[in-house]
Amino acid sequence: MINRCACLAVLFGALLLTGCATRMEKQAFNGEASSGIKKIAVQQWDDQDEYPARVVNHPGMSFGLIGAAITAADTASKTKKLNDLLDPRKTKITSDFYAKALPGLRQLGYEVVTVPLKRGAKPAAVKETERVTTGQDAFLQLNIEAAYLAAGASTAYFPFVVMTAELNDSKSKALLYREVYHYGYNAGNKDVVHIEAAADCKFSDIDKLVADIEKTRTCLTASVDLLVKQIVADLKK
């Protein structure tokens, strides 16, 4: 079942870049009531080809189309500056996440099969993968997306990693579990679970963000173990 909240759209672009004003219906997992769930099909996205570096409340957005063009150019420039050094081929947040999350779910006693998905897939195509995947008791939309965000033009950059998870019964389509976790950047959204990044994962400007790229990378990758721990704890029977 594709999430009805726009913020949980494929790849979570809107969530990463602008946040979500729509209240999300959360659902805690009831292990006892879901004891019959043995086999889970899990969406598995491929890796990001870049990690955005974005000012969320960019001043350019106040000046119409011209301002939007300025904002886009500024974001593209900063994103390129970050990724030229960070190198997404060496910083595989998504792959690392699934490499740990899937065994973690298996250790809970689930049989886990994966449904590979390519970034850029349209929502209709993503929904179709759920319809045609058979043999599982439940379908888990498990997604992770990473970036560096600053609240404003003169504020610091923080790592921002989003994990969204939604589990639906494959036969009844009943919602069994739904949660969103934010690591790092805190948008003040009360409908998500926020996880603090290390105190030194704060970069005053784009130049500081790329000055020590290993630290910048570590501040992103540190999210993986924390988020895996959360999803495994959430789905424990």
Side-chain angles (χ1 to χ4, degrees):
M1 182 184 300
I2 291 297
N3 197 305
R4 288 169 290 280
C5 175
C7 292
L8 300 185
V10 178
L11 304 184
F12 310 102
L15 179 63
L16 274 170
L17 304 182
T18 62
C20 176
T22 304
R23 186 171 182 82
M24 187 193 69
E25 176 193 355
K26 301 171 76 169
Q27 175 67 53
F29 180 69
N30 186 323
E32 183 176 351
S34 303
S35 60
I37 301 298
K38 304 297 184 184
K39 185 175 182 179
I40 298 177
V42 182
Q43 287 182 344
Q44 184 171 6
W45 294 91
D46 61 358
D47 282 291
Q48 292 177 237
D49 57 10
E50 69 174 18
Y51 296 98
R54 183 179 175 91
V55 175
V56 176
N57 300 304
H58 198 288
M61 296 305 293
S62 301
F63 299 97
L65 292 177
I66 293 177
I70 293 172
T71 299
D74 182 58
T75 300
S77 174
K78 290 175 177 175
T79 296
K80 184 178 186 303
K81 191 170 188 177
L82 172 62
N83 286 270
D84 281 351
L85 295 172
L86 189 62
D87 190 353
R89 294 171 298 180
K90 299 178 181 178
T91 312
K92 295 182 176 292
I93 302 292
T94 304
S95 290
D96 291 346
F97 173 72
Y98 287 118
K100 294 180 177 181
L102 299 180
L105 294 174
R106 292 186 177 106
Q107 288 175 6
L108 294 179
Y110 296 109
E111 180 183 351
V112 177
V113 296
T114 59
V115 181
L117 289 167
K118 293 289 186 182
R119 291 180 184 272
K122 295 182 179 180
V126 176
K127 187 172 183 178
E128 180 67 4
T129 65
E130 182 176 350
R131 189 185 70 81
V132 301
T133 303
T134 60
Q136 74 280 358
D137 300 310
F139 196 97
L140 177 62
Q141 298 175 46
L142 182 59
N143 308 270
I144 188 166
E145 189 85 359
Y148 267 95
L149 300 185
S154 59
T155 60
Y157 284 86
F158 292 88
F160 183 52
V161 183
V162 178
M163 179 182 77
T164 65
E166 179 176 323
L167 184 70
N168 295 99
D169 185 281
S170 291
K171 291 182 180 179
S172 69
K173 308 304 180 185
L175 177 65
L176 303 176
Y177 163 72
R178 183 191 283 149
E179 189 57 271
V180 177
Y181 288 90
H182 285 185
Y183 161 87
Y185 178 85
N186 189 351
N189 189 333
K190 303 299 184 182
D191 292 331
V192 305
V193 178
H194 181 253
I195 301 172
E196 294 282 351
D200 62 347
C201 290
K202 177 181 179 180
F203 305 88
S204 58
D205 54 38
I206 188 65
D207 291 328
K208 291 291 177 60
L209 182 60
V210 300
D212 182 351
I213 204 61
E214 290 308 317
K215 177 182 176 183
T216 302
R217 180 181 289 110
T218 297
C219 286
L220 276 183
T221 59
S223 66
V224 171
D225 286 341
L226 295 171
L227 294 172
V228 168
K229 181 180 178 180
Q230 292 292 339
I231 189 65
V232 172
D234 284 357
L235 294 180
K236 185 177 180 179
K237 294 184 181 181

